[in-house]
Amino acid sequence: MDVKVLYFEGCPNRQVASERLRQAFQRAGRGEVEVTLQEVQTEEEAAWMGFTGSPTILIDGWDPFAEGPMTPSLSCRIYRTSAGPQGSPTVEELEAVLRR
């Protein structure tokens, strides 16, 4: 499983997403999976990588939290979660994706 967290420098939610992913991996019994952090620096990189805001979580190249057509950009991303709008999916939502 290839897991990446795409972010831009200064993203306040990069650490939250990374920590929630770590917890979700443990809960899903996949503690051995390595998460790659990848910085996005330009609008061109954002378009090429499918970066639709920071942080963007890709699992095997797929954004499981994409909602309809999203425009690549160097911006903060807001996720609709069961706990309301947040800068990262919840641990439970990440775990559900990892169990698919």
Side-chain angles (χ1 to χ4, degrees):
M1 178 180 285
D2 178 44
V3 181
K4 290 182 183 173
V5 175
L6 306 178
Y7 69 96
F8 66 82
E9 186 58 41
C11 172
N13 296 309
R14 165 181 71 160
Q15 296 294 60
V16 171
S18 296
E19 176 58 26
R20 288 180 180 178
L21 266 170
R22 186 190 66 72
Q23 291 176 30
F25 282 129
Q26 288 179 342
R27 289 172 58 160
R30 295 180 177 231
E32 302 295 321
V33 176
E34 182 177 328
V35 175
T36 302
L37 296 175
Q38 187 167 356
E39 183 179 1
V40 179
Q41 298 179 347
T42 66
E43 292 289 340
E44 291 78 21
E45 286 180 339
W48 181 73
M49 291 185 219
F51 178 74
T52 56
S54 187
T56 292
I57 299 166
L58 299 178
I59 299 177
D60 294 330
W62 170 63
D63 182 347
F65 300 99
E67 295 181 2
M70 297 175 70
T71 304
S73 69
L74 290 176
S75 61
C76 289
R77 183 166 173 177
I78 301 298
Y79 290 85
R80 290 186 212 193
T81 74
S82 57
Q86 295 190 23
S88 169
T90 66
V91 173
E92 295 78 15
E93 290 161 343
L94 289 163
E95 180 185 3
V97 166
L98 295 173
R99 290 186 182 276
R100 289 185 190 165

